Amino acid sequence: MSDNKRIDKWLWCVRLYKTRTQATEACKGGKVKLNNEAVKASKELKAGDEISFKFSIITKTVRVLDFPAQRLAAKLVAQHLEDLT
């Protein structure tokens, strides 16, 4: 399994969480859903998966488009996810 495809690392790489620890804790706390099911932080993603998570008072939903090799610059995020919110 490629480490880049872990849900916690992907959420951090595309700047949806400030730290990977925050992304991991959100997964552990049941706040992150993959295709409408709660997941563990180590869950592997594939292109086309839909992720929803509580962001303040909003539930944000995004679609996975690609897997970055490392944390992205903010202007490159749109190449790796589609915002469905």
Side-chain angles (χ1 to χ4, degrees), residues 1-14 16 27 32-35 37 39-52 62-68 80-81:
M1 174 174 78
S2 171
D3 194 38
N4 298 13
K5 294 186 178 185
R6 284 177 53 115
I7 192 166
D8 63 337
K9 186 167 183 183
W10 188 87
L11 289 167
W12 171 73
C13 283
V14 297
L16 295 174
C27 291
V32 177
K33 296 188 185 305
L34 175 64
N35 301 322
E37 293 185 20
V39 293
K40 293 182 179 180
S42 62
K43 180 69 177 174
E44 188 172 337
L45 297 173
K46 59 187 184 301
D49 280 343
E50 288 186 12
I51 301 170
S52 57
V62 297
R63 179 175 292 132
V64 176
L65 299 178
D66 197 8
F67 302 96
H80 298 275
L81 67 85

